[in-house]
DNA sequence: TTGTACGCGTTATCAT
DNA sequence: ATGATAACGCGTACAA
């Protein structure tokens, strides 16, 4: 049994043509007689020929890999996005692969460099470690690079970002319009742009409505269920708020648990809102009023954006809008 | 400005040695004088030389890619596993990349073939579409292949699987021991081995305790929050159970929502259990009694298993154990 | 339109 | 221990 994979030479011999012709056939090169094409295809099939990806990559200096570098695989609301992006990119004939940086600046850098050295056709990254300047700098020598969920100065047109400030402001205003004045804000780590923006949105909503926001926010280092629970536990010791605006659904879930444990009802005693609309948000008790992030639309957008970048086509679509989903966790005072 | 990347030839010229020597240096080949090594390293650094991955892959016929093929990125309890596996594999110097099949048998097949054609060092797949025979067959011509979360006949030693039957039986018995006799079982799609096994566990627990299981289970096509909600909605119309055993936490979340909406309390009127212990399970009201799946340990196990497979080393570790986490969702009758 | 021959950058082989 | 050279499999300029 001969283990060695057949190459163009074997196919050429089998089909009675030159290796160049075989190559042309597989490149959809038009300059090839249809009869010969048939012969080549038949011969390839017969001996089980497959193009060698690496020989091609070596000579062409490019590949059809598209890489996504996440922060962490565990981020609940990213998973649906990744899935949708994969569909678009797969369908376009590219090989889509995902990795993560685990919030390490060094790993972000290493993986961009790695994928670039591997001549990836395109890279999408969710980066929190690299500075704006570093990103601009790296992008100059890297494969086509798209930044997700962040606006980088001097690189805006390659960034996909959302008006988190505006959305967080809107949902805060929803609470204000329903009569709430003392509104607590549960923040994620504000060194990350996403959380910082949301924080700004909350502050603006409060200020514009002449409400005191100064001491009514708590910044946690991680935006998890657990953090929400722990923070709320403390906050309840000296409660002077009727509503809580959380920067994501997980914080809200944790906070809801603490509130109930404290013997308070939602939304009877305390109203609460989330952000992202993860699948669980509809099935908590009460169901959570939150900001819906259309995963499929966003993932699709990412896919089309990186593909247009690869093909150097214009891409002027504007980012999908989010919408507030009103459920049962907010009471009118 | 010269865009072209330097090759071994440039380095060789710069260092005044032969290309072969340069190659040897970068392969940690011992047969090279330390003084020359210094010269080569210095020259490489000076002109910014980097090994070409594809030239190497072409001649060696192998790479250090390790691929993971998921079903879907959205599966909540897999994300932590992926993360842990990535750490192990990254640290071992391999390039770890993740994709998904979206439950398509064809995609499962395509991606295994793709990764094999790309000479991946190893592949891990969570497969639900391919039959046992097909897997055995494919494995013969593929890169080293590990199957996760499934026991494949004739391929057992390359499979990582758990005693889901036993665990589901145990948690059902927990309910029985607390006095429950009418226990509803919410199933995922039983065409998948994981769900089928859990189903068997429930049945065995009931039978061994001489309880009727025959009509007390409902099979859903998807094991989501929504499915749990919808199923429970219907089941409550003609309630004759005091407890519900769910095959995963999402089903339980949805069911809990429906139960509360129906005006019933948990665990007062109905006790409920989940499976997987996703992060939210601790923060529902009441917190959910469930089976804990140690994500970090399992991911680590996967990583070490595929690495041992790649290196053709023996690997006899046994799979991590799960444990039942008793929280507040079960009442003693 | 088709074939010939060379080059991509590396490692392996065989001398030295 | 080091160097010269072939070989990996493909794409393409150039010749036919």
């Amino acid at each position: 049994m001969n283990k060695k994979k057949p190459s163009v030479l074997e196919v050429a011999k089998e089909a009675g043509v030159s290796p160049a012709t075989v190559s042309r056939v597989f490149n959809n090169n038009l300059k090839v007689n249809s009869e010969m094409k048939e012969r080549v295809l038949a011969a390839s099939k017969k001996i089980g020929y497959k193009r060698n990806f690496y020989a091609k990559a070596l000579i062409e200096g490019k590949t059809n890999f598209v890489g996504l570098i996440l922060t962490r695989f565990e981020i609940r609301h990213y998973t649906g996005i990744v899935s949708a992006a994969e569909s678009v990119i797969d369908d376009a004939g590219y090989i889509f692969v995902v990795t993560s940086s685990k919030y390490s600046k060094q790993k972000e850098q290493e993986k961009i460099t790695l994928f670039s050295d591997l001549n990836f056709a395109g890279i999408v990254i969710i980066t929190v470690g690299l500075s704006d300047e570093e990103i601009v700098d790296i992008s100059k020598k890297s494969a086509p690079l798209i930044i997700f969920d962040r606006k980088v100065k001097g690189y805006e047109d390659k960034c996909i970002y959302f008006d988190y400030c505006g959305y967080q402001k809107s949902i805060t205003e929803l609470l204000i319009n329903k009569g709430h004045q003392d509104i607590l804000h549960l923040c994620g780590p504000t060194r990350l742009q996403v959380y910082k923006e949301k924080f700004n949105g909350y502050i603006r909503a409060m200020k514009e409505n002449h409400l005191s926001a100064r001491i009514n926010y708590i910044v946690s280092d991680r935006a998890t269920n657990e953090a929400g629970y722990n923070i709320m536990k403390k906050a309840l010791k000296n409660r002077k708020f009727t509503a809580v605006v959380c920067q994501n659904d997980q914080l809200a879930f944790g906070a809801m648990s603490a509130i109930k444990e404290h013997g308070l009802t939602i939304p009877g005693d305390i109203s609460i809102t989330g952000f992202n609309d993860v699948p669980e948000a509809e099935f908590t008790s009460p169901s959570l009023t939150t900001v819906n992030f259309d995963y499929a639309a966003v993932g699709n957008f990412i896919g089309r954006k990186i593909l247009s970048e690869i093909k150097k086509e214009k891409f002027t679509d504007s980012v999908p809008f989010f919408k507030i989903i009103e459920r049962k966790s907010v009471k009118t005072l």
Side-chain angles (χ1 to χ4, degrees), chain A residues 54-310:
Chain A
Y54 298 115
K56 187 175 161 75
L58 174 60
I59 197 161
E60 292 187 332
K62 63 176 186 174
T63 71
N64 60 345
F65 277 123
V66 173
L68 169 62
I69 306 165
L70 294 172
T71 50
R72 301 179 72 211
F73 284 99
E74 292 96 327
I75 310 293
R76 180 66 161 144
H77 67 287
Y78 280 160
T79 59
I81 296 176
V82 175
S83 194
E86 180 183 54
S87 296
V88 177
I89 295 169
D90 263 18
D91 288 351
Y94 288 84
I95 304 172
F96 182 69
V97 299
V98 187
T99 57
S100 84
S101 68
K102 302 191 196 300
Y103 291 113
S104 149
K105 172 178 171 175
Q106 193 195 330
K107 279 221 178 289
E108 289 177 359
Q109 197 148 236
E110 282 174 7
K111 298 214 167 179
I112 294 177
T113 306
L114 173 67
F115 287 175
S116 293
D117 289 345
L118 257 33
N119 289 321
F120 272 38
I123 303 173
V124 179
I125 186 169
I126 303 173
T127 164
V128 299
L130 296 167
S131 70
D132 287 4
E133 294 74 20
E134 288 168 330
I135 291 171
V136 172
D137 212 50
I138 290 172
S139 75
K140 287 175 186 159
K141 358 168 196 169
S142 88
L145 184 70
I146 294 296
I147 310 294
F148 181 71
D149 236 1
R150 174 167 163 187
K151 182 176 181 176
V152 174
K153 208 174 292 174
Y155 203 63
E156 288 82 358
D157 54 332
K158 315 279 178 172
C159 294
I160 300 172
Y161 55 91
F162 305 95
D163 182 16
Y164 286 119
C165 176
Y167 293 118
Q168 190 71 82
K169 178 164 178 277
S170 296
I171 202 166
T172 305
E173 283 168 348
L174 178 108
L175 252 11
I176 295 171
N177 293 338
K178 287 187 187 288
H180 293 273
Q181 302 207 347
D182 296 300
I183 304 172
L184 179 68
H185 185 47
L186 293 199
C187 268
T190 49
R191 63 194 154 77
L192 307 194
Q193 193 182 75
V194 168
Y195 298 117
K196 181 71 178 173
E197 287 263 320
K198 290 180 181 174
F199 174 75
N200 291 339
Y202 159 79
I203 294 289
R204 278 177 53 190
M206 296 299 272
K207 276 203 179 148
E208 287 182 15
N209 287 276
H210 313 292
L211 296 174
S212 164
R214 212 173 38 199
I215 57 166
N216 290 339
Y217 56 84
I218 307 179
V219 180
S220 73
D221 192 50
R222 301 191 57 197
T224 60
N225 296 278
E226 204 172 351
Y229 176 85
N230 291 332
I231 288 174
M232 185 51 68
K233 268 293 204 195
K234 280 185 201 155
L236 285 168
K237 285 185 181 153
N238 184 20
R239 174 163 82 96
K240 22 180 193 183
F241 51 87
T242 62
V244 190
V245 172
C246 302
Q247 289 199 347
N248 73 17
D249 294 341
Q250 275 78 33
L251 283 169
F253 296 154
M256 287 169 80
S257 170
I259 291 167
K260 290 178 192 171
E261 207 173 284
H262 202 75
L264 268 24
T265 64
I266 304 169
D269 297 308
I270 297 178
S271 293
I272 188 165
T273 63
F275 207 112
N276 289 338
D277 196 18
V278 300
E280 284 71 31
E282 195 179 341
F283 300 99
T284 48
S285 307
S287 56
L288 186 65
T289 290
T290 187
V291 181
N292 176 267
F293 198 112
D294 184 337
Y295 305 137
V298 172
N300 190 279
F301 186 91
I302 294 177
R304 289 183 293 116
K305 172 111 181 168
I306 186 66
L307 288 174
S308 77
E309 191 64 25
I310 292 169

